[in-house]
């Protein structure tokens, strides 16, 4: 992921971060499940306040483009990466079926990878 802050831009840094992450997800640079840098790490890298990155991530999450998973970080959602509604629906059905069968998440992922030939 590459983010650049333009101090001369008309929009604030949090909006630049938000817009660049969203564009990179839409363009396939960031795929579904890609873990974003920690808020503090990205803030340090960009030379902005922690709250600036936190606000960008919060707005991305409100838009459904990222999902925060606590200690597991913030990841790009399938919606942000352009997955079709049908693909999202089928993935949800698969997840529901695996939970109903009592299949642990790691095993369900392994099964899906095997079915895809990965």
């Amino acid at each position: 992921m590459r983010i650049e802050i333009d101090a001369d831009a008309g929009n604030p840094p949090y909006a630049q971060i938000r817009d660049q992450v969203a564009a990179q997800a839409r363009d396939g640079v960031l795929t579904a499940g890609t873990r974003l840098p920690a808020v503090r790490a990205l803030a340090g890298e960009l030379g902005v306040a922690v709250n600036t990155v936190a606000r960008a991530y919060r707005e991305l999450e409100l838009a459904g483009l990222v999902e925060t998973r606590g200690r597991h970080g913030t990841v790009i959602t399938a919606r942000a990466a352009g997955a079709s509604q049908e693909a999202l629906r089928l993935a949800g059905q698969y997840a529901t079926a695996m939970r109903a069968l009592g299949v642990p998440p790691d095993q369900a992922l392994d099964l899906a990878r095997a079915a895809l030939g990965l």
Side-chain angles (χ1 to χ4, degrees):
M1 179 173 85
R2 183 177 171 151
I3 303 290
E4 294 181 7
I5 301 298
D6 180 358
D8 297 325
N11 55 342
Y14 81 87
Q16 293 179 50
I17 296 167
R18 178 198 63 211
D19 295 347
Q20 289 177 53
V21 169
Q24 289 179 41
R26 181 189 63 240
D27 296 342
V29 175
L30 299 174
T31 59
T34 299
R35 187 173 173 184
L36 298 180
V39 170
R40 289 185 190 281
L42 186 57
E45 181 182 321
L46 297 175
V48 298
V50 171
N51 285 338
T52 298
V53 176
R55 181 171 179 184
Y57 280 17
R58 192 169 42 254
E59 289 195 8
L60 288 163
E61 188 165 26
L62 288 172
L65 303 180
V66 302
E67 177 181 283
T68 301
R69 298 179 178 167
R71 287 185 279 197
H72 299 290
T74 301
V75 298
I76 299 294
T77 62
R79 176 179 176 209
S84 72
Q85 290 301 316
E86 179 68 4
L88 291 172
R89 184 185 68 74
L90 291 171
Q93 285 180 345
Y94 177 76
T96 299
M98 292 297 104
R99 280 198 282 298
L101 292 171
V103 176
D106 288 345
Q107 188 178 1
L109 290 172
D110 288 343
L111 291 167
R113 284 186 189 98
L116 292 167
L118 301 176

